[in-house]
Amino acid sequence: MRTSIRTYLIQAKRRLQQLSTSHEQLGRFVVGNESADLDSITSALIYGYIESNRNRSLSPDSLVIPIANLPAADLKLRTELTTLLKHADVDPSHLITLDDIEGASLKKEQCSWTLVDHNILTGPLTKLVSKISGVIDHHDDEGQIPNDADPKVLMKSGSCCSLVINHLRPVLDEIRSRSSSIGAAIAQDDGRLLDDTAYSSNWTAQAAKVALGPILIDTINMTDGDKVTDHDRKAVKYLEALINIAPRIGKDYDRDRFFNKLNDAKNDIDGLSIRDILRKDYKEWSEGDLKLGTAVVVKPISYLSERSDKIAEEVQAFAAEKELQLVAVMTAFETDGQFAREVALFCLGSENAVEVAKKFEQSTTSELKLEKLVVDYGEAKDILWSCTWKQNNLAASRKRTAPLLREAMRR
């Protein structure tokens, strides 16, 4: 590589500042989905990093600016992200967030967007998008991406980062070959002393570890038979080869140890409030006059009820903050060495939401293998209906459950 991830992010922030002062320039952006989970943020970061290094001159026009699709204040909730970024000498404050975009006062006509880990843009960024120029995603196709999008990669995989790496592998190989032949001694914007090929190899290995992290997390260390695909196997094999040939980084690499540190950080939510737990991995959609919010939690529903005897009030307050009529809490956790899932659905302030919830239950109980659980959430005046299920179809993550909810909303 011609530069480190850390320096690339410094350059990307500088490029954003240039765009904010000159509305005649075109900016290239890449962004993950609104949940801003590990896979989304790193897919955008790695895509932008490799694409920006594609150009030999590293000119400002060639820089692809990666956006972490969340406010800067929410970065503290992504403990697994903080842990992973340390492997590339990057602090979360180096990332470019929604706060940076809002402060830049960009115009639609100066923004070219590539989506990763989703294929339909929602949320505050929609006001800056006139056309999607490319997509790499592992969710169901929403049918909104134009035929001339480049890239246009829509495939099933455990992690979107696997698709990003496999798609850009020829580019990365060419960059590595170029660096090996001419060296990589260039001045760095953070003032750090550089070497040549050895530094380039380590920068590549740092990027490989950042890309590898979400793949291992999303596939449970490549053991989840319902999620792991050949795309993931191919990407992991390639990334681990890049790590192992790096002089400093490869000698200490161990997959299990690497995964366990990330997974422990992801599952450590004891210090978070109920509100922050719901915000940590959150996505929302609107259909007609209803708005659905989904939160994925890494502990069982019983963990939430043990943390507070006023869960219903907590959910009601969260729904009011987000202006939601439907709140789905989807848990994914291990108990006694076995993976498990649950779904809790709350309807607030709308009989239409109650109808949707009952349609969802009727139409998906068989597919999701739902089994009702009895949970006491306490009382909340605006919650008209709620139900909690054990989900025995362990293969169905939010990528499947959320579309089923949205389908019930459209009926």
Side-chain angles (χ1 to χ4, degrees):
M1 305 301 288
R2 302 293 303 281
T3 186
S4 66
I5 289 182
R6 187 177 187 273
T7 297
Y8 156 65
L9 287 170
I10 292 171
Q11 293 171 332
K13 280 199 174 184
R14 183 177 301 153
R15 176 59 176 162
L16 182 60
Q17 293 170 352
Q18 292 172 348
L19 292 170
S20 67
T21 58
S22 175
H23 289 155
E24 296 180 358
Q25 298 184 48
L26 177 66
R28 300 172 63 197
F29 297 87
V30 57
V31 66
N33 67 51
E34 272 191 293
S35 75
D37 62 3
L38 192 67
D39 199 23
S40 272
I41 292 178
T42 54
S43 290
L45 176 57
I46 293 300
Y47 178 91
Y49 178 59
I50 297 175
E51 275 290 333
S52 297
N53 275 276
R54 179 196 289 262
N55 189 293
R56 289 177 181 268
S57 65
L58 284 177
S59 65
D61 289 345
S62 72
L63 274 173
V64 180
I65 301 173
I67 306 302
N69 198 350
L70 77 174
D74 286 3
L75 285 170
K76 66 181 180 181
L77 305 179
R78 274 64 177 176
T79 48
E80 65 273 28
L81 174 67
T82 302
T83 301
L84 178 61
L85 291 180
K86 288 178 181 177
H87 291 276
D89 194 24
V90 171
D91 186 85
S93 63
H94 291 125
L95 298 176
I96 300 166
T97 67
L98 295 180
D99 296 321
D100 297 300
I101 288 291
E102 290 172 1
S105 300
L106 300 172
K107 298 183 180 299
K108 277 187 177 183
E109 56 269 21
Q110 69 177 138
C111 300
S112 170
W113 291 91
T114 296
L115 306 184
V116 290
D117 205 21
H118 62 324
N119 60 83
I120 182 170
L121 196 62
T122 58
L125 289 178
T126 54
K127 64 180 182 292
L128 286 175
V129 178
S130 57
K131 182 180 179 181
I132 303 300
S133 61
V135 64
I136 300 179
D137 187 29
H138 63 153
H139 294 85
D140 291 337
D141 187 358
E142 299 270 3
Q144 300 296 312
I145 302 300
N147 292 329
D148 61 351
D150 184 22
K152 188 175 183 180
V153 179
L154 294 161
M155 300 177 180
K156 293 296 182 184
S157 62
S159 166
C160 182
C161 224
S162 297
L163 301 181
V164 170
I165 287 297
N166 293 338
H167 177 73
L168 291 178
R169 177 173 176 172
V171 178
L172 182 52
D173 285 341
E174 196 277 330
I175 294 169
R176 291 176 55 237
S177 174
R178 193 168 71 221
S179 297
S180 297
S181 62
I182 66 174
I186 58 174
Q188 293 289 288
D189 295 313
D190 58 4
R192 298 189 172 199
L193 181 65
L194 299 184
D195 205 315
D196 48 12
T197 306
Y199 275 92
S200 179
S201 175
N202 281 317
W203 295 334
T204 301
Q206 287 179 341
K209 290 192 84 170
V210 171
L212 181 62
I215 302 175
L216 297 183
I217 286 295
D218 284 358
T219 62
I220 313 179
N221 202 16
M222 297 295 286
T223 65
D224 188 340
D226 294 321
K227 285 191 171 183
V228 177
T229 69
D230 286 340
H231 302 298
D232 304 298
R233 296 184 187 95
K234 180 180 177 181
V236 168
K237 182 178 180 180
Y238 177 65
L239 292 170
E240 290 190 328
L242 296 180
I243 293 168
N244 288 324
I245 62 176
R248 293 185 308 185
I249 296 175
K251 63 183 177 65
D252 295 324
Y253 173 71
D254 177 86
R255 183 196 291 183
D256 291 339
R257 185 167 64 245
F258 180 52
F259 166 77
N260 287 333
K261 285 185 177 181
L262 292 178
N263 198 49
D264 288 346
K266 177 184 178 182
N267 292 330
D268 184 11
I269 61 174
D270 289 347
L272 300 182
S273 66
I274 298 297
R275 174 178 177 269
D276 284 346
I277 290 172
L278 296 177
R279 290 194 304 135
K280 180 175 168 63
D281 190 350
Y282 172 80
K283 292 181 73 173
E284 63 184 37
W285 294 270
S286 294
E287 298 286 351
D289 60 350
L290 295 178
K291 189 175 179 183
L292 162 71
T294 65
V296 176
V297 179
V298 295
K299 300 284 188 180
I301 293 293
S302 59
Y303 172 87
L304 298 180
S305 59
E306 290 166 4
R307 286 283 304 273
S308 171
D309 59 359
K310 297 181 178 179
I311 293 297
E313 290 184 9
E314 301 264 15
V315 170
Q316 178 177 279
F318 184 76
E321 175 187 341
K322 299 289 186 179
E323 299 181 333
L324 306 173
Q325 290 76 48
L326 288 157
V327 178
V329 179
M330 305 173 187
T331 68
F333 59 96
E334 281 196 11
T335 177
D336 298 327
Q338 298 295 315
F339 185 65
R341 290 188 186 277
E342 298 164 335
V343 179
L345 189 57
F346 302 86
C347 305
L348 300 102
S350 169
E351 290 295 340
N352 288 340
V354 177
E355 291 180 14
V356 166
K358 292 180 177 180
K359 287 177 184 177
F360 169 78
E361 179 180 31
Q362 183 178 14
S363 62
T364 64
T365 292
S366 177
E367 177 181 345
L368 299 180
K369 299 178 181 178
L370 300 179
E371 178 184 333
K372 281 189 177 181
L373 299 174
V374 177
V375 182
D376 182 9
Y377 294 110
E379 297 294 329
K381 62 182 178 61
D382 289 338
I383 295 182
L384 304 181
W385 185 93
S386 68
C387 193
T388 304
W389 304 271
K390 179 182 179 182
Q391 181 182 309
N392 292 303
N393 179 356
L394 301 179
S397 65
R398 177 167 57 188
K399 287 197 292 290
R400 179 55 184 154
T401 307
L404 290 172
L405 277 164
R406 293 172 62 197
E407 183 178 335
M409 292 166 70
R410 286 192 287 263
R411 292 178 180 176

mmCIF file of all heavy atoms in Angstrom, residues 155-173:
data_model
loop_
_atom_site.group_PDB
_atom_site.id
_atom_site.type_symbol
_atom_site.label_atom_id
_atom_site.label_comp_id
_atom_site.label_asym_id
_atom_site.label_seq_id
_atom_site.Cartn_x
_atom_site.Cartn_y
_atom_site.Cartn_z
ATOM 1 N N MET A 155 -24.674 -10.437 -3.533
ATOM 2 C CA MET A 155 -24.505 -11.869 -3.321
ATOM 3 C C MET A 155 -24.691 -12.207 -1.856
ATOM 4 O O MET A 155 -24.446 -11.372 -0.985
ATOM 5 C CB MET A 155 -23.104 -12.325 -3.750
ATOM 6 C CG MET A 155 -22.750 -12.096 -5.205
ATOM 7 S SD MET A 155 -21.034 -12.613 -5.528
ATOM 8 C CE MET A 155 -20.891 -12.240 -7.265
ATOM 9 N N LYS A 156 -25.089 -13.426 -1.583
ATOM 10 C CA LYS A 156 -25.218 -13.880 -0.206
ATOM 11 C C LYS A 156 -23.839 -14.253 0.346
ATOM 12 O O LYS A 156 -23.054 -14.944 -0.301
ATOM 13 C CB LYS A 156 -26.140 -15.100 -0.118
ATOM 14 C CG LYS A 156 -27.593 -14.789 -0.473
ATOM 15 C CD LYS A 156 -28.200 -13.810 0.506
ATOM 16 C CE LYS A 156 -29.661 -13.531 0.189
ATOM 17 N NZ LYS A 156 -30.234 -12.505 1.084
ATOM 18 N N SER A 157 -23.557 -13.759 1.543
ATOM 19 C CA SER A 157 -22.308 -14.097 2.220
ATOM 20 C C SER A 157 -22.502 -13.841 3.702
ATOM 21 O O SER A 157 -23.425 -13.134 4.115
ATOM 22 C CB SER A 157 -21.140 -13.261 1.678
ATOM 23 O OG SER A 157 -21.361 -11.882 1.925
ATOM 24 N N GLY A 158 -21.615 -14.396 4.514
ATOM 25 C CA GLY A 158 -21.710 -14.159 5.940
ATOM 26 C C GLY A 158 -21.422 -12.721 6.294
ATOM 27 O O GLY A 158 -22.031 -12.153 7.182
ATOM 28 N N SER A 159 -20.475 -12.129 5.578
ATOM 29 C CA SER A 159 -20.063 -10.751 5.839
ATOM 30 C C SER A 159 -19.939 -9.992 4.527
ATOM 31 O O SER A 159 -19.464 -10.530 3.524
ATOM 32 C CB SER A 159 -18.706 -10.744 6.558
ATOM 33 O OG SER A 159 -18.127 -9.456 6.550
ATOM 34 N N CYS A 160 -20.380 -8.739 4.541
ATOM 35 C CA CYS A 160 -20.212 -7.903 3.349
ATOM 36 C C CYS A 160 -18.737 -7.655 3.070
ATOM 37 O O CYS A 160 -18.323 -7.519 1.924
ATOM 38 C CB CYS A 160 -20.941 -6.573 3.539
ATOM 39 S SG CYS A 160 -20.844 -5.480 2.104
ATOM 40 N N CYS A 161 -17.928 -7.604 4.125
ATOM 41 C CA CYS A 161 -16.500 -7.347 3.940
ATOM 42 C C CYS A 161 -15.844 -8.434 3.083
ATOM 43 O O CYS A 161 -14.875 -8.161 2.377
ATOM 44 C CB CYS A 161 -15.805 -7.239 5.295
ATOM 45 S SG CYS A 161 -14.643 -5.861 5.379
ATOM 46 N N SER A 162 -16.376 -9.643 3.131
ATOM 47 C CA SER A 162 -15.864 -10.704 2.255
ATOM 48 C C SER A 162 -16.053 -10.328 0.788
ATOM 49 O O SER A 162 -15.148 -10.511 -0.037
ATOM 50 C CB SER A 162 -16.584 -12.025 2.551
ATOM 51 O OG SER A 162 -16.333 -12.472 3.857
ATOM 52 N N LEU A 163 -17.229 -9.800 0.462
ATOM 53 C CA LEU A 163 -17.513 -9.407 -0.920
ATOM 54 C C LEU A 163 -16.643 -8.231 -1.345
ATOM 55 O O LEU A 163 -16.174 -8.174 -2.489
ATOM 56 C CB LEU A 163 -18.989 -9.038 -1.069
ATOM 57 C CG LEU A 163 -20.010 -10.120 -0.724
ATOM 58 C CD1 LEU A 163 -21.427 -9.601 -0.947
ATOM 59 C CD2 LEU A 163 -19.774 -11.383 -1.552
ATOM 60 N N VAL A 164 -16.417 -7.286 -0.437
ATOM 61 C CA VAL A 164 -15.562 -6.135 -0.741
ATOM 62 C C VAL A 164 -14.144 -6.602 -1.066
ATOM 63 O O VAL A 164 -13.556 -6.189 -2.072
ATOM 64 C CB VAL A 164 -15.542 -5.146 0.440
ATOM 65 C CG1 VAL A 164 -14.482 -4.068 0.237
ATOM 66 C CG2 VAL A 164 -16.910 -4.506 0.622
ATOM 67 N N ILE A 165 -13.611 -7.460 -0.236
ATOM 68 C CA ILE A 165 -12.244 -7.952 -0.443
ATOM 69 C C ILE A 165 -12.129 -8.756 -1.733
ATOM 70 O O ILE A 165 -11.202 -8.560 -2.530
ATOM 71 C CB ILE A 165 -11.787 -8.796 0.762
ATOM 72 C CG1 ILE A 165 -11.503 -7.884 1.962
ATOM 73 C CG2 ILE A 165 -10.556 -9.628 0.426
ATOM 74 C CD1 ILE A 165 -10.379 -6.888 1.743
ATOM 75 N N ASN A 166 -13.068 -9.662 -1.976
ATOM 76 C CA ASN A 166 -12.992 -10.484 -3.181
ATOM 77 C C ASN A 166 -13.138 -9.636 -4.442
ATOM 78 O O ASN A 166 -12.475 -9.893 -5.448
ATOM 79 C CB ASN A 166 -14.069 -11.570 -3.142
ATOM 80 C CG ASN A 166 -13.819 -12.593 -2.048
ATOM 81 O OD1 ASN A 166 -12.689 -12.756 -1.578
ATOM 82 N ND2 ASN A 166 -14.860 -13.276 -1.615
ATOM 83 N N HIS A 167 -13.995 -8.622 -4.400
ATOM 84 C CA HIS A 167 -14.175 -7.752 -5.560
ATOM 85 C C HIS A 167 -12.921 -6.918 -5.828
ATOM 86 O O HIS A 167 -12.536 -6.730 -6.995
ATOM 87 C CB HIS A 167 -15.370 -6.834 -5.347
ATOM 88 C CG HIS A 167 -15.576 -5.853 -6.461
ATOM 89 N ND1 HIS A 167 -16.062 -6.219 -7.698
ATOM 90 C CD2 HIS A 167 -15.328 -4.516 -6.534
ATOM 91 C CE1 HIS A 167 -16.118 -5.157 -8.485
ATOM 92 N NE2 HIS A 167 -15.674 -4.115 -7.801
ATOM 93 N N LEU A 168 -12.287 -6.430 -4.776
ATOM 94 C CA LEU A 168 -11.146 -5.534 -4.946
ATOM 95 C C LEU A 168 -9.798 -6.247 -4.878
ATOM 96 O O LEU A 168 -8.751 -5.599 -4.934
ATOM 97 C CB LEU A 168 -11.189 -4.429 -3.884
ATOM 98 C CG LEU A 168 -12.322 -3.408 -4.024
ATOM 99 C CD1 LEU A 168 -12.275 -2.398 -2.882
ATOM 100 C CD2 LEU A 168 -12.238 -2.698 -5.367
ATOM 101 N N ARG A 169 -9.818 -7.551 -4.788
ATOM 102 C CA ARG A 169 -8.551 -8.291 -4.697
ATOM 103 C C ARG A 169 -7.608 -7.991 -5.863
ATOM 104 O O ARG A 169 -6.402 -7.772 -5.631
ATOM 105 C CB ARG A 169 -8.825 -9.791 -4.597
ATOM 106 C CG ARG A 169 -7.567 -10.637 -4.564
ATOM 107 C CD ARG A 169 -7.876 -12.087 -4.283
ATOM 108 N NE ARG A 169 -6.680 -12.922 -4.337
ATOM 109 C CZ ARG A 169 -6.636 -14.206 -3.987
ATOM 110 N NH1 ARG A 169 -7.741 -14.793 -3.558
ATOM 111 N NH2 ARG A 169 -5.510 -14.879 -4.056
ATOM 112 N N PRO A 170 -8.077 -7.961 -7.126
ATOM 113 C CA PRO A 170 -7.143 -7.628 -8.223
ATOM 114 C C PRO A 170 -6.517 -6.243 -8.051
ATOM 115 O O PRO A 170 -5.338 -6.053 -8.371
ATOM 116 C CB PRO A 170 -8.029 -7.686 -9.474
ATOM 117 C CG PRO A 170 -9.166 -8.586 -9.100
ATOM 118 C CD PRO A 170 -9.417 -8.309 -7.653
ATOM 119 N N VAL A 171 -7.289 -5.298 -7.550
ATOM 120 C CA VAL A 171 -6.762 -3.951 -7.318
ATOM 121 C C VAL A 171 -5.699 -3.988 -6.224
ATOM 122 O O VAL A 171 -4.615 -3.408 -6.363
ATOM 123 C CB VAL A 171 -7.895 -2.983 -6.924
ATOM 124 C CG1 VAL A 171 -7.339 -1.588 -6.645
ATOM 125 C CG2 VAL A 171 -8.961 -2.925 -7.994
ATOM 126 N N LEU A 172 -5.991 -4.678 -5.128
ATOM 127 C CA LEU A 172 -5.051 -4.752 -4.023
ATOM 128 C C LEU A 172 -3.772 -5.476 -4.440
ATOM 129 O O LEU A 172 -2.660 -5.060 -4.077
ATOM 130 C CB LEU A 172 -5.703 -5.471 -2.838
ATOM 131 C CG LEU A 172 -4.870 -5.593 -1.559
ATOM 132 C CD1 LEU A 172 -4.321 -4.241 -1.121
ATOM 133 C CD2 LEU A 172 -5.705 -6.217 -0.446
ATOM 134 N N ASP A 173 -3.902 -6.533 -5.222
ATOM 135 C CA ASP A 173 -2.714 -7.249 -5.706
ATOM 136 C C ASP A 173 -1.850 -6.354 -6.583
ATOM 137 O O ASP A 173 -0.612 -6.377 -6.497
ATOM 138 C CB ASP A 173 -3.132 -8.505 -6.483
ATOM 139 C CG ASP A 173 -3.604 -9.629 -5.570
ATOM 140 O OD1 ASP A 173 -3.279 -9.586 -4.366
ATOM 141 O OD2 ASP A 173 -4.290 -10.537 -6.063
#
